[in-house]
Amino acid sequence: MTSQILRDARKYEEEMERRIAGEPRPAFHLSARVGWMNDPNGFSFFKGEYHLFYQYHPFSAFWGPMHWGHAVSKDLLHWSHLPAALAPDTDYDRDGCFSGNAVVLPDGRHLLMYTGVSRETQPDGGQREVQTQCLAVGDGIDYEKWTENPVLDWRSLPQGGSKYDFRDPKIWRKQDGSYRCVVGNCTAEHDGQILLYSSRDGFHWKYEKILAANKGRFGRMWECPDFFAVDGKQVLLISPQDMMPQGFEYHNGNGTVCLIGTYEEETDTFSEEYHQAVDYGIDFYAPQTVLAPDGRRILIGWMQNWDTCNLHAPGRPWFGQMSLPREVTVKNGRLFQKPVRELERMRGEEVRYENVSFSDVIKLDEIKGRKIDMELSVRPGEEEKIYRKFAVRFAQNDTYQTSVSFKPYESIIKVDRKHSGSRRAIIHQRRCLVKGEKGRIKIRIVLDYFSVEVFVNDGEYVLSATLYTDPAVDGISFFADGQVEMDVVKYELLPVSHMSGQSI
Ligand code: FRU
């Protein structure tokens, strides 16, 4: 039985979807059906399709009482919207259905685990949000909240663990058929920690231990954990709030951190070995992953930034989009990310140039576009003499441009959207320290009207940013200070016809 609150949300989004059908949107990145979107939720493969839910406030383009929006896709790029899956309609989640994840039960049902939020009045009359973990079971469209919700509350916290910061469960099913989940939490000192829980059947949960603790290293509260094995290593993804910068690795504000190490299953012991940022750009947060049927580990994040996401005009019909889904691997203690290979099926006509040598500004015929996949291979144009700077500028006309530049002497790559059309004094540049090899660098750029994602050296570093430029502005040029030689291949990205006709 769906509640009146959910039925109202579903009716509203259906009507509004028709009304705003002509609005410009990303072509292959999932964006809010209507209203506001933040974190990806419930990323899973169920009944032959990928399901992606998201934090959703259909009634305005700003964050509000959280619902779960819902979309499905066969190839992770052509998405169809489904009716909202969850609404804040019960006592324990009346103030929001926060982030969470999903698994497929052995009996074929889809199990969602999410955070229920309800405000509690404090002795001083103020209010605080109590957070608990809850379940809903469904068939891929309609979900019934479990009668015994919440399944985890303050009684399942370690000593000092805050019931006000206890959210974003990531659930998985183990080989032996039992379940585990990790949940973000804070200590009494407001320091992040990740808690591990276990369950025989996915419904009855038991506290196990603190899986990882911040100890003051990365921001404060740790949100949106994910925990998985890949390439013989174990990865713990976290999204820490309130970070301080550390060199070129971490920046101020909310960030994403990848802890790489080993996991001893018998004792549930995670030993950290390496850490790094997941994305070095401006707009990326709260990533979560799915294990694809073919064994790939695929990651998707919210392509936004909590410190800049509230500056848009109130009348906007939609706000918020996901990143490209990315295949992740671990090599030599580092996380690599590449756009899912399905993107290559969207490649239209190829435009290719080899050994282009230049030392100033150049444009190349047919190298333009705002919905493109472009690979650049850059090297010094003169033997033994490394150029000082290389840049590619896109979404460019006489007024606007966004650029990706590389300075080999500093080994710094930078994305700069200062001239992309924003009138706000917010972050418009981000730099990342890369392992450059004597001025040789590979840069893959994916543009989808309102975003740029930059994959450096086969995905060793990724920088994502949203753009503000009119989608018709599609110029591209290259700049070199010193002599550069470069190969370029560019593809226009086109909907694949048997996948199109769907609403994204
Ligand atoms: C992260 C987050 C989560 C929470 C959700 C609320 O962006 O703050 O911790 O579940 O957003 O919308």
Side-chain angles (χ1 to χ4, degrees), residues 38-39 55 63 66 98-99 167-168 223-224 285-286 306:
N38 59 290
D39 313 356
Q55 289 286 280
W63 193 87
M66 280 291 113
F98 276 18
S99 285
R167 57 181 174 272
D168 311 334
E223 301 186 309
C224 302
Y285 196 62
W306 275 116

Side-chain angles (χ1 to χ4, degrees), residues 25-27 370-371 447-451 467-471 492:
R25 278 181 186 267
R370 282 292 288 279
K371 200 161 49 73
L447 301 182
D448 184 7
Y449 295 132
F450 304 103
S451 65
L467 302 183
Y468 303 96
T469 324
D470 183 313
E492 185 68 25

Side-chain angles (χ1 to χ4, degrees), residues 60-100:
S60 85
F62 292 89
W63 193 87
M66 280 291 113
H67 296 57
W68 273 35
H70 190 185
V72 285
S73 173
K74 288 212 181 327
D75 71 346
L76 297 155
L77 299 165
H78 298 73
W79 292 97
S80 311
H81 288 292
L82 291 181
L86 300 177
D89 55 10
T90 57
D91 202 37
Y92 50 84
D93 65 13
R94 60 178 181 263
D95 293 306
C97 299
F98 276 18
S99 285

Side-chain angles (χ1 to χ4, degrees), residues 7 67 133 184 197 315 339 349 363 467:
R7 283 200 297 277
H67 296 57
Q133 315 319 318
Y197 296 87
E349 200 195 336
K363 286 190 179 174
L467 302 183

Side-chain angles (χ1 to χ4, degrees), residues 310-324:
N310 287 314
L311 300 169
H312 50 284
R316 268 196 66 153
W318 66 269
F319 182 84
Q321 57 175 311
M322 295 299 165
S323 72
L324 267 181

